[in-house]
Amino acid sequence: MIKSLISPGVLLAGAMTAASSYAVEADERRARGEETLEKITGPAGKKVIDSLIDISPELGNWIIDFAYGDVFSDTQVSLCTRELATISGLTALGNAQPELKVHIEGALNVGCGPAEIVAIISQMVVYSGFPSALNGINAAREVFEKRGIKMSGSSVGKKIHETGLSSYRSDAGINPWRRVYCPAIHSGIK
């Protein structure tokens, strides 16, 4: 019954329109991906893509089309927020130093501040442990040094380093014998 309602010419025309529409969408996706990759990573991203041509050009295509053409170019979240999320994920992985450095550079390129980057990496101690966070901080240090960015450290960190944790906690009105890691137990308690 369906065969008699659709002629072969109509079916072929529909398939060609769909294929043509897909080709235009793929071209737009590729252009969006290349533009977003350049905006975030500058020449470093292109080098990564070029390095894949001889062994896995498909991987380079997926990076451009999917990662940057679909995900990073989506406007629901700012590029700075996306880069900070990427930095947190790569820090938590703990084994992606080259990628982490590229995305720390990318975060700086799209307007994230060095202090934000350090804070996000430091927060990963809670989720992935000290080794991952330390690796992340070292990656940030390398990127900052390369760019001539000097970090002065937080005032809380300096106070603890100079006088010790007990002194800091006493000055802050916190009983130094209580444990730091459980804020629910201490909220409002001095």
Side-chain angles (χ1 to χ4, degrees):
M1 174 93 176
I2 293 177
K3 285 185 178 181
S4 64
L5 296 174
I6 301 174
S7 71
V10 171
L11 189 57
L12 180 60
M16 289 176 64
T17 302
S20 172
S21 172
Y22 176 77
V24 168
E25 184 181 311
D27 289 344
E28 289 172 0
R29 182 182 191 207
R30 171 57 58 114
R32 245 188 352 259
E34 288 173 342
E35 179 184 336
T36 306
L37 178 69
E38 173 65 27
K39 187 184 299 181
I40 293 171
T41 66
K46 176 106 172 70
K47 285 181 186 174
V48 170
I49 301 304
D50 291 346
S51 75
L52 296 169
I53 289 172
D54 66 332
I55 191 162
S56 181
E58 306 84 13
L59 183 56
N61 289 335
W62 296 337
I63 291 169
I64 293 172
D65 297 340
F66 175 65
Y68 289 90
D70 291 340
V71 179
F72 276 93
S73 66
D74 181 15
T75 59
Q76 293 182 44
V77 178
S78 73
L79 287 178
C80 182
T81 300
R82 286 190 190 283
E83 282 301 299
L84 292 173
T86 303
I87 288 168
S88 70
L90 292 170
T91 299
L93 283 173
N95 61 358
Q97 294 300 94
E99 294 83 0
L100 180 57
K101 290 175 191 175
V102 166
H103 285 282
I104 291 170
E105 292 266 8
L108 294 167
N109 290 344
V110 298
C112 297
E116 290 175 288
I117 294 167
V118 168
I120 290 298
I121 293 171
S122 297
Q123 181 177 330
M124 292 304 99
V125 160
V126 177
Y127 302 99
S128 60
F130 280 93
S132 294
L134 288 168
N135 289 341
I137 289 297
N138 286 327
R141 175 180 285 122
E142 287 180 37
V143 170
F144 295 165
E145 285 175 357
K146 181 175 133 190
R147 286 191 169 210
I149 296 170
K150 301 215 184 290
M151 293 293 297
S152 61
S154 72
S155 59
V156 171
K158 283 182 179 175
K159 173 88 172 165
I160 291 170
H161 179 73
E162 291 168 1
T163 63
L165 181 59
S166 294
S167 173
Y168 164 73
R169 293 175 80 200
S170 294
D171 290 350
I174 300 170
N175 180 337
W177 301 110
R178 291 207 175 127
R179 295 180 184 217
V180 175
Y181 64 84
C182 191
I185 293 174
H186 316 311
S187 59
I189 299 173
K190 293 189 177 191

